[in-house]
Amino acid sequence: MKSPKFGIVVYPGSNCDHDAYYAVKKQLGFDADFLWHKEKDLKNSDVIILPGGFSYGDYLRTGAVARFSPIMDKVFNFAETGGIVIGICNGFQILLESNLLPGCMIQNETLKFICRDVYLKVETKSSIFSSDIKKDILRIPVAHGEGNYYADENTLSELNANSQILFRYSSETGDTGKLFNPNGSLENIAGILNKRGNILGMMPHPERACDNSLRNTDGESIFYSVVKSFNY
Amino acid sequence: MIEPLVTLESALEHGLTEEEYSWIINKLGRAPNFTELGVYSVMWSEHCSYKNSIALLKTLPKDGGRVLVGAGEENAGLIDIGDGLAVCFKIESHNHPSAVEPYQGAATGVGGILRDIFTMGARPIAALNSLRFGNLDDPRTKYLFEGVVKGIGDYGNCFGVPTVAGEVYFDESYKGNPLVNAMAVGIVKTNQTATATAKGAGNPVMIVGSSTGRDGIHGATFASEEISAKSEAKRPSVQVGDPFTEKLLLEATLEIIKEDIIIGIQDMGAAGIACSTSEMSARGKSGMKIDLQHVPLRESGMTSYEIMLSESQERMLVVAKKEHEADVKKIFDKWDLNCETIGYVTDENILEIDYYGERKATLDADHLVLGGGAPVYYRETKKPEYLDKKHSFNFQKIPQAESIENTFFKVFSSLNIVSKQWVYEQYDSMVRTNTVVGPGCDAAVIRIKDTDKALAVKTDCNGRYVFLNPRRGAMIAVAESARNVVCSGGVPLGVTNCLNFGNPYKPEVYWTFKEAVEGMAEACRILQTPVTGGNVSFYNESPESSVYPTPTIGMVGLIEKPSHITESYFRNSGDSVYLLGTDKEELGGSEYLKVIHGLVEGNSPGIDLLLEKQLQDTLFNLIREGLIQSAHDITEGGILCALAECCIIRNNSMTGAKVNIPVGTREDFSFFSESQTRVIVSVSQEKKKDFEKFVSASGFPFILLGITGGDSLDINDRYSFRLEELADIYFNTISGIMNVKV
């Protein structure tokens, strides 16, 4: 199997950069490298990961400053030409601030940070991020203060119509009721794609669920799906 | 700027005593100027000098086979864990700032303890805490609780350290003076540690990180007096945290240490530049010549006094190797942090401080610091009168519980027993992907990547026990935290302590302190857990109350193999449930007595440390032999609450049990007794024989309680509790109080 190279962008306040690197390189065995935010070189990466954390402290809006960092021009070009980009948590927030994905993120309904395992209903398996996911429901942790996804009605119906909603918060059995929504996001949205399908933003942390010794490997299949897309 | 003239009066206002002021004059051969007085007052404050505690602290055992850096030598202790790695850990209080400004007080408490760890060259891998509040029916307590939890969460979450374990107690004694103790644990390669020393004349002294403002001036002095009605006015003494800058500081600091381009580094916490320059100089038997003009400031018009005493956060003092000054600057530049050379090291033991061409202070570094010229006091002690009265309490007078069911529900609903899920879900407990067992079990387990090893970590103290019997209470805190570590599959390695007490000038308080320290020393010796450092917080008193003496223990243990990791909940149906240990119907200071009868009476439970050691050795061997499925120690709320927890802690897959609890003189006593040195274990049927053989051979007392299975906890064929109902109480009580629907 051909291994694409994962490039993990390191903003000064990224704190899940090493977790993503460890998951992709050490646990799953794919090629990976860090991309420092002040550089302007994607080092021939095939997949870009914008990791979780607090890119520039996020004292303004989460992700609001990160879109202006030097490396982002390259990331924008990469994405526009169909390159695969995964934004996890803060990375998702940055993708929204950069208008690479539609909608925005507001504070959790409880106004509190939330860290726990949640269940995700996989809404489509025809995306490059989900084609190798075997289960219908994944257990993956969330850890965020601003994961309450919001978009206007038009955007929302477009997301639904184009199958751009990849993950919704659900129960262990796939019930996507309000009760299983950890942050108040519209329609229990946990992860979305751009229209073209090459960009994924998700609040839950798949890189935290790739390791048997942490007793959860449900996140692996997202990365495997991406790798699979390079082998057909 | 003309500085105020220094008189005895101004010295007293600065918190120095008349005697201390005369020592300063004798040493200097003159009266200090205003800046010098400021430096002396913070350096000789209780917070920096430990003047009323150090003599007793020195009696704590601080050596052991694995200790690399012992108590008091550096910013934090270091213990060897093999594979070329060491673990570095420390706990510290931020009680007074949190009482006034809970969010920033708690946040900067976390920031300060993290800096203590990475200034040693260690990367923080886990944060813990130990929190005490009044009762949640008081609106201000709710505000403090909410603010402290958010402050801890926001700081650690942004910094990127998982907050993995802790404890939260509620008792009216803490109402006016909450306790906020923060602990951090880090890992470092043994050949890449840093030291807080200044050496080598001409080596540049650099200030790095945040700029310096007026925040936190006299924070150390504020921490060294009682909370009063005037405390609210001290809000400016509370520092403001910036976890993002701290994260940058972490990365830059670890880089300069790894590159081997510095001589020494110390974080700036209490007493800022004053403390870091004098302590680093004293440790290296050197001096420094400093020009404050080069310190990056965030406010204009600051005086030398203010710059020396500022407690602005996220700063470090670095002594670089002369030839690498530019390399250090380059690394801080990469992380967009200030890095300014403010002076250089000298051969004489003198601190010379200039500001815009004027000499502002000339001080002997050694005379300022703990272990040097700072005062050391033995205070007067007197046994408090309440103790004998408490100890002679007649338990037979307590009315029998009318309904065991209702009594149990009430005790089990106690805020001190129910799950702190509402708290720990606000902490990122998983970042860095090392958390094998997160919050909610006996101890948290953090694996160490690229090795087979893991650390088990826990904080613990029952202030009520210490109030009733300071010596035993402190012993129990050590024993229980060690027991928690063993229950998780670890061997206890060492202890850090945070000693929260009242005003040491009160003889009763000092007696209590002395007893607690002696008890702790004995327990640490027998359980072979040296004390690698910690913190003393006196003056935990407010006009309303004096807090229970609370010597919090932070315990770190080593787990050698992944297969040793053990959790507290029942894993499977059909396993046998055993009790290791025996009950002695001890209700003194129990949750039962407090919740059901509104009493804090009697003596704390007894503790036989040799028996405790035997339990822990036996339990560890059982785990190593793979003979048990789960282990949970019996603490507040007694055996009934512990069994309930075993059934429901794994919330998404609960396992009931049917057990027979031996009853002594009374059911309520036996069910809610808090006798120490007891653990509930579950054992699979195939291992049952081996288990019994093994424990019998060890000579440690044990009995078969029953068997796991079903969706209820059934007791003595008389009482049955549905797990759903127990789980609802356990997981939703605190959120029910705190989550106000808008």
Side-chain angles (χ1 to χ4, degrees):
Chain A
M1 190 161 62
K2 180 184 171 237
S3 166
K5 180 175 174 182
F6 287 80
I8 298 154
V9 176
V10 182
Y11 302 101
S14 295
N15 60 31
C16 303
D17 46 346
H18 285 271
D19 300 353
Y21 181 87
Y22 187 84
V24 170
K25 183 141 183 169
K26 297 277 177 72
Q27 286 299 317
L28 307 181
F30 303 125
D31 194 11
D33 209 340
F34 291 114
L35 307 173
W36 181 238
H37 68 116
K38 286 184 185 174
E39 285 163 17
K40 293 185 174 180
D41 178 7
L42 300 184
K43 297 186 187 169
N44 296 318
S45 301
D46 301 299
V47 182
I48 298 293
I49 296 180
L50 307 185
F54 291 71
S55 45
Y56 286 84
D58 289 342
Y59 295 123
L60 188 56
R61 293 187 314 278
T62 50
V65 181
R67 60 180 283 209
F68 297 109
S69 58
I71 201 159
M72 288 309 280
D73 279 341
K74 295 287 173 195
V75 173
F76 295 152
N77 283 339
F78 178 79
E80 272 161 29
T81 54
I84 297 176
V85 179
I86 306 174
I88 300 166
C89 197
N90 191 225
F92 186 10
Q93 293 160 345
I94 294 166
L95 291 172
L96 294 170
E97 286 286 338
S98 311
N99 292 320
L100 288 178
L101 290 172
C104 68
M105 216 51 98
I106 53 178
Q107 277 210 330
N108 294 349
E109 209 171 37
T110 55
L111 302 181
K112 288 184 171 55
F113 191 95
I114 175 106
C115 175
R116 69 157 84 121
D117 279 345
V118 295
Y119 290 99
L120 301 178
K121 186 172 179 211
V122 184
E123 293 285 7
T124 168
K125 294 196 178 167
S126 55
S127 84
I128 50 178
F129 302 98
S130 56
S131 62
D132 206 38
I133 298 179
K134 305 284 189 294
K135 296 180 176 177
D136 295 325
I137 315 290
L138 302 177
R139 178 169 64 93
I140 294 183
V142 290
H144 59 249
E146 297 188 22
N148 186 350
Y149 180 80
Y150 183 82
D152 61 41
E153 263 178 49
N154 286 341
T155 309
L156 207 56
S157 52
E158 216 173 288
L159 287 174
N160 276 306
N162 299 327
S163 299
Q164 284 172 252
I165 300 171
L166 184 53
F167 301 118
R168 285 185 214 270
Y169 300 112
S170 74
S171 71
E172 200 174 348
T173 53
D175 179 350
T176 53
K178 183 92 181 128
L179 197 60
F180 309 104
N181 184 334
N183 52 32
S185 71
L186 279 183
E187 296 193 10
N188 284 28
I189 286 174
I192 59 170
L193 309 170
N194 65 338
K195 208 164 183 178
R196 186 168 172 178
N198 62 316
I199 304 175
L200 163 66
M202 62 187 295
M203 287 314 293
H205 287 270
E207 81 282 10
R208 295 185 182 187
C210 290
D211 195 335
N212 247 329
S213 51
L214 301 182
R215 300 156 189 201
N216 189 355
T217 54
D218 276 9
E220 288 177 347
S221 54
I222 296 170
F223 297 108
Y224 282 134
S225 297
V226 170
V227 172
K228 192 173 136 191
S229 75
F230 284 88
N231 288 282
Y232 286 99
Chain B
M1 192 174 297
I2 296 170
E3 291 188 337
L5 205 66
V6 174
T7 59
L8 172 60
E9 221 166 36
S10 50
L12 296 178
E13 269 170 31
H14 273 73
L16 292 165
T17 65
E18 193 172 341
E19 195 182 23
E20 287 167 352
Y21 183 61
S22 71
W23 292 339
I24 294 170
I25 291 179
N26 274 342
K27 176 73 189 173
L28 295 175
R30 60 178 167 84
N33 65 33
F34 192 62
T35 302
E36 290 169 338
L37 175 69
V39 172
Y40 263 106
S41 77
V42 288
M43 290 306 295
W44 285 12
S45 71
E46 190 66 54
H47 192 83
C48 289
S49 73
Y50 290 80
K51 58 188 170 191
N52 288 310
S53 61
I54 188 65
L56 280 171
L57 295 180
K58 289 205 160 153
T59 64
L60 292 167
K62 60 175 195 169
D63 300 315
R66 285 171 174 268
V67 175
L68 296 176
V69 172
E73 293 172 37
E74 294 281 352
N75 283 302
L78 270 183
I79 294 187
D80 192 353
I81 54 168
D83 294 322
L85 296 172
V87 59
C88 175
F89 57 97
K90 194 177 177 189
I91 191 167
E92 207 163 73
S93 67
H94 241 213
N95 305 335
H96 286 65
S98 306
V100 177
E101 175 20 61
Y103 179 83
Q104 292 296 350
T108 52
V110 175
I113 200 66
L114 288 169
R115 278 195 301 285
D116 272 331
I117 300 305
F118 67 79
T119 195
M120 297 288 294
R123 183 176 281 278
I125 57 158
L128 298 88
N129 52 67
S130 169
L131 311 176
R132 304 281 186 292
F133 301 95
N135 288 321
L136 282 183
D137 48 16
D138 167 48
R140 180 162 171 87
T141 299
K142 263 174 132 169
Y143 157 77
L144 292 174
F145 178 44
E146 178 136 32
V148 164
V149 169
K150 192 168 172 54
I152 291 172
D154 282 2
Y155 205 100
N157 297 347
C158 178
F159 178 82
V161 64
T163 303
V164 296
E167 48 164 9
V168 189
Y169 278 89
F170 300 93
D171 189 288
E172 60 268 22
S173 90
Y174 302 105
K175 184 179 173 190
N177 190 140
L179 301 185
V180 176
N181 297 172
M183 173 172 166
V185 183
I187 291 282
V188 59
K189 289 185 179 154
T190 45
N191 59 4
Q192 278 179 14
T193 58
T195 167
T197 307
K199 270 193 297 207
N203 280 324
V205 177
M206 307 166 97
I207 187 166
V208 303
S210 285
S211 52
T212 299
R214 288 195 171 92
D215 47 330
I217 291 173
H218 278 302
T221 317
F222 173 42
S224 307
E225 61 194 28
E226 291 167 31
I227 301 253
S228 68
K230 286 185 280 183
S231 297
E232 185 61 25
K234 299 252 167 124
R235 196 178 276 266
S237 289
V238 180
Q239 311 88 335
V240 175
D242 176 359
F244 172 62
T245 300
E246 177 111 331
K247 156 85 167 121
L248 306 183
L249 194 58
L250 159 77
E251 300 296 347
T253 299
L254 294 188
E255 253 181 80
I256 56 169
I257 292 169
K258 198 172 155 195
E259 297 289 325
D260 198 18
I261 52 182
I262 63 164
I263 302 287
I265 181 166
Q266 173 154 346
D267 85 297
M268 285 193 220
I273 299 178
C275 183
S276 52
T277 51
S278 52
E279 286 190 353
M280 284 186 82
S281 297
R283 215 174 266 127
K285 305 207 180 315
S286 310
M288 284 183 191
K289 195 162 164 30
I290 301 288
D291 189 347
L292 297 177
Q293 196 179 325
H294 303 299
V295 175
L297 301 179
R298 64 174 77 141
E299 294 174 72
S300 58
M302 286 182 70
T303 63
S304 56
Y305 176 100
E306 290 171 325
I307 298 170
M308 287 299 283
L309 268 55
S310 161
E311 296 188 5
S312 290
Q313 299 288 289
E314 292 89 23
R315 299 179 301 159
M316 295 268 195
L317 195 73
V318 175
V319 174
K321 291 181 177 170
K322 222 179 304 184
E323 64 278 19
H324 288 297
E325 187 177 347
D327 300 321
V328 172
K329 285 201 163 147
K330 206 168 137 196
I331 288 173
F332 281 91
D333 194 47
K334 173 185 164 191
W335 292 97
D336 298 319
L337 288 169
N338 290 320
C339 175
E340 294 297 332
T341 302
I342 59 169
Y344 53 87
V345 178
T346 63
D347 276 337
E348 306 138 72
N349 299 328
I350 304 291
L351 277 183
E352 296 166 285
I353 311 290
D354 292 346
Y355 194 36
Y356 286 105
E358 209 180 307
R359 175 58 45 89
K360 289 295 182 181
T362 311
L363 296 167
D364 180 333
D366 203 52
H367 196 239
L368 290 166
V369 301
L370 157 71
V376 176
Y377 299 125
Y378 295 85
R379 292 277 153 224
E380 192 190 330
T381 62
K382 184 170 175 257
K383 187 178 173 185
E385 280 169 12
Y386 70 83
L387 283 173
D388 287 338
K389 202 166 149 252
K390 292 276 176 201
H391 293 179
S392 60
F393 180 77
N394 178 6
F395 283 89
Q396 298 315 315
K397 285 197 311 205
I398 295 176
Q400 293 257 17
E402 279 180 20
S403 151
I404 284 289
E405 283 99 333
N406 287 343
T407 304
F408 171 61
F409 281 128
K410 276 187 199 154
V411 174
F412 196 58
S413 316
S414 160
L415 297 183
N416 294 332
I417 288 176
V418 293
S419 168
K420 308 304 182 291
Q421 182 174 273
W422 182 87
V423 174
Y424 63 71
E425 280 194 349
Q426 295 185 53
Y427 305 148
D428 188 339
S429 55
M430 308 172 189
V431 64
R432 301 197 61 75
T433 57
N434 295 321
T435 309
V436 182
V437 179
C441 275
D442 278 17
V445 177
I446 309 297
R447 62 117 176 245
I448 301 166
K449 284 192 178 115
D450 304 322
T451 73
D452 267 348
K453 292 171 177 162
L455 297 176
V457 291
K458 182 72 176 105
T459 53
D460 206 275
C461 183
N462 182 320
R464 214 182 277 150
Y465 293 169
V466 186
F467 169 70
L468 292 174
N469 190 328
R471 183 174 289 262
R472 268 197 213 167
M475 286 176 177
I476 291 173
V478 177
E480 188 180 331
S481 52
R483 202 184 309 137
N484 281 320
V485 161
V486 176
C487 282
S488 296
V491 176
L493 284 179
V495 157
T496 175
N497 58 15
C498 195
L499 308 172
N500 308 275
F501 287 78
N503 182 344
Y505 290 83
K506 293 181 183 169
E508 287 87 354
V509 169
Y510 207 70
W511 183 88
T512 305
F513 178 70
K514 185 166 181 274
E515 284 286 305
V517 170
E518 287 171 2
M520 185 177 291
E522 195 180 334
C524 288
R525 263 190 295 273
I526 292 175
L527 299 177
Q528 292 162 18
T529 53
V531 179
T532 63
N535 163 247
V536 179
S537 171
F538 283 132
Y539 303 99
N540 289 292
E541 299 186 22
S542 70
E544 294 158 85
S545 60
S546 171
V547 307
Y548 285 150
T550 310
T552 307
I553 295 292
M555 180 75 69
V556 174
L558 182 64
I559 299 176
E560 290 283 354
K561 283 183 182 167
S563 62
H564 293 177
I565 296 170
T566 305
E567 277 136 318
S568 47
Y569 49 79
F570 295 146
R571 308 184 70 85
N572 318 297
S573 292
D575 288 349
S576 291
V577 180
Y578 290 89
L579 169 68
L580 301 176
T582 34
D583 178 37
K584 301 191 194 73
E585 291 191 55
E586 290 167 293
L587 278 301
S590 66
E591 202 62 29
Y592 163 80
L593 207 58
K594 173 77 186 172
V595 171
I596 303 300
H597 302 287
L599 298 172
V600 178
E601 292 290 346
N603 201 337
S604 81
I607 175 99
D608 175 342
L609 291 166
L610 293 173
L611 193 71
E612 180 72 38
K613 180 79 175 109
Q614 194 192 355
L615 167 72
Q616 294 185 15
D617 289 346
T618 306
L619 183 58
F620 177 70
N621 287 327
L622 285 168
I623 289 171
R624 201 171 55 182
E625 298 293 321
L627 293 175
I628 62 171
Q629 293 287 323
S630 70
H632 185 35
D633 78 326
I634 297 175
T635 58
E636 290 86 2
I639 191 168
L640 211 46
C641 291
L643 282 164
E645 286 169 353
C646 291
C647 293
I648 64 169
I649 280 180
R650 185 169 62 176
N651 198 7
N652 59 355
S653 178
M654 299 188 285
T655 304
K658 191 172 165 49
V659 295
N660 268 299
I661 302 172
V663 173
T665 60
R666 277 167 60 167
E667 254 185 352
D668 52 351
F669 285 7
S670 298
F671 288 173
F672 301 108
S673 157
E674 295 183 9
S675 287
Q676 293 294 302
T677 319
R678 292 188 297 163
V679 173
I680 294 168
V681 298
S682 62
V683 180
S684 70
Q685 291 311 311
E686 61 192 39
K687 297 281 167 70
K688 204 177 156 181
K689 230 184 201 159
D690 291 342
F691 169 86
E692 292 191 355
K693 210 167 119 192
F694 192 97
V695 187
S696 301
S698 80
F700 195 82
F702 73 103
I703 51 164
L704 177 66
L705 290 175
I707 192 159
T708 63
D711 53 11
S712 60
L713 172 61
D714 299 335
I715 309 288
N716 295 11
D717 294 320
R718 287 185 71 179
Y719 310 109
S720 181
F721 304 100
R722 283 192 317 113
L723 299 189
E724 287 285 338
E725 198 175 347
L726 296 180
D728 186 44
I729 292 171
Y730 194 68
F731 292 104
N732 297 328
T733 296
I734 292 183
S735 60
I737 296 170
M738 296 305 293
N739 292 354
V740 182
K741 290 252 172 8
V742 186

